[in-house]
Amino acid sequence: MGFSQAILVCALVSFHSGACQPYLRLRPSPSDKLPVIDIIEHPDPEYDPREQDLNERTLRKKLGSNFDPNFMSISTPVQVNLSIQDIHPKLRLPGPMPNDIKKLDLSETPYGMRVKIGKKARRKFLQWLWTYTHCPVVYTWKDLGLRFWPRFIKEGNCLNERSCSFPEGMFCKPVKSVTKTFLRWYCQGFLRQKYCTWIPVQYPIISECKCSC
């Protein structure tokens, strides 16, 4: 019986008799909404990996080059959450100023009136506007639980405490994501005859946010 067939049989048996592994969600469900919604795990510790299943050397070898220390951690990270206060408004923004801001015509109002504005004042206003509408990715460490390895992931979020547009109305939303591969502890079978192993699963992480409707 193939892997996909085993999953289907397991799901059907679970539905009719309550057997097999309940809460059959091996990986985060595909979704246009990020960050990923938390997986509801079955509370029975019978489905947890044992101490011998958590050998770091073995799991590192299994994950191979997919292990990314910038986005995953085996032990509890020192800084669990990167607070919004860490993003200081006076920090220099990454990359060049976007063209849609750089090319703004500030010499004419929406009502057709002509306005004189000096180069220094224009530069300061555009810098302020760029800072105000910039949408940084705020990273926080998240504990995926014992059934993922590594169990800690650095997850991206879009800063949404206020509107990012002037006038207000638009908000920071995810526009790009990267995928990281983790190991997921998966069990199939019945009670003592069940078979458990680590399988690779992909986890999407927000990598870029943009001010949009």
Side-chain angles (χ1 to χ4, degrees):
M1 182 183 292
F3 181 69
S4 59
Q5 290 175 305
I7 293 176
L8 178 59
V9 171
C10 181
L12 290 173
V13 172
S14 293
F15 179 78
H16 289 293
S17 64
C20 201
Q21 181 175 357
Y23 301 81
L24 191 65
R25 286 183 61 189
L26 303 181
R27 56 184 63 82
S29 298
S31 173
D32 293 331
K33 294 183 179 180
L34 292 176
V36 172
I37 299 172
D38 291 345
I39 293 179
I40 301 174
E41 300 278 18
H42 192 280
D44 191 343
E46 280 292 320
Y47 297 106
D48 289 343
R50 298 161 299 176
E51 186 176 350
Q52 58 264 39
D53 299 316
L54 293 168
N55 183 276
E56 181 181 337
R57 186 175 180 181
T58 302
L59 295 178
R60 273 186 177 270
K61 185 176 181 181
K62 190 175 183 67
L63 194 58
S65 59
N66 289 312
F67 184 84
D68 186 348
N70 294 318
F71 284 92
M72 51 187 73
S73 178
I74 299 167
S75 56
T76 306
V78 176
Q79 190 175 16
V80 177
N81 290 308
L82 302 179
S83 67
I84 294 171
Q85 294 177 348
D86 292 334
I87 304 174
H88 198 281
K90 290 185 179 181
L91 287 177
R92 186 175 180 180
L93 297 177
M97 182 180 291
N99 285 330
D100 54 346
I101 294 179
K102 196 173 183 179
K103 294 181 179 179
L104 276 176
D105 184 4
L106 303 179
S107 63
E108 186 175 345
T109 69
Y111 305 102
M113 293 180 60
R114 303 295 296 180
V115 178
K116 285 187 177 181
I117 182 170
K119 289 184 178 180
K120 187 175 180 180
R122 172 186 166 81
R123 185 173 64 252
K124 284 189 174 183
F125 176 78
L126 292 181
Q127 184 67 36
W128 171 83
L129 186 62
W130 183 19
T131 303
Y132 189 88
T133 58
H134 177 62
C135 289
V137 179
V138 181
Y139 289 101
T140 58
W141 283 103
K142 179 178 180 180
D143 185 356
L144 296 176
L146 193 62
R147 296 170 192 173
F148 279 89
W149 196 91
R151 66 180 293 171
F152 295 97
I153 181 174
K154 190 163 73 173
E155 195 169 56
N157 291 270
C158 296
L159 191 60
N160 252 333
E161 287 195 335
R162 59 165 178 79
S163 173
C164 56
S165 63
F166 184 79
E168 295 185 354
M170 300 169 72
F171 291 89
C172 293
K173 296 183 179 180
V175 290
K176 287 184 181 180
S177 65
V178 294
T179 300
K180 299 298 176 181
T181 299
F182 285 73
L183 297 178
R184 168 73 162 151
W185 185 249
Y186 169 67
C187 297
Q188 64 178 24
F190 306 97
L191 301 177
R192 294 182 180 179
Q193 295 182 358
K194 71 179 183 299
Y195 170 74
C196 301
T197 188
W198 290 102
I199 61 171
V201 295
Q202 293 186 326
Y203 198 106
I205 301 171
I206 294 171
S207 60
E208 185 178 334
C209 301
K210 188 175 182 181
C211 190
S212 60
C213 298

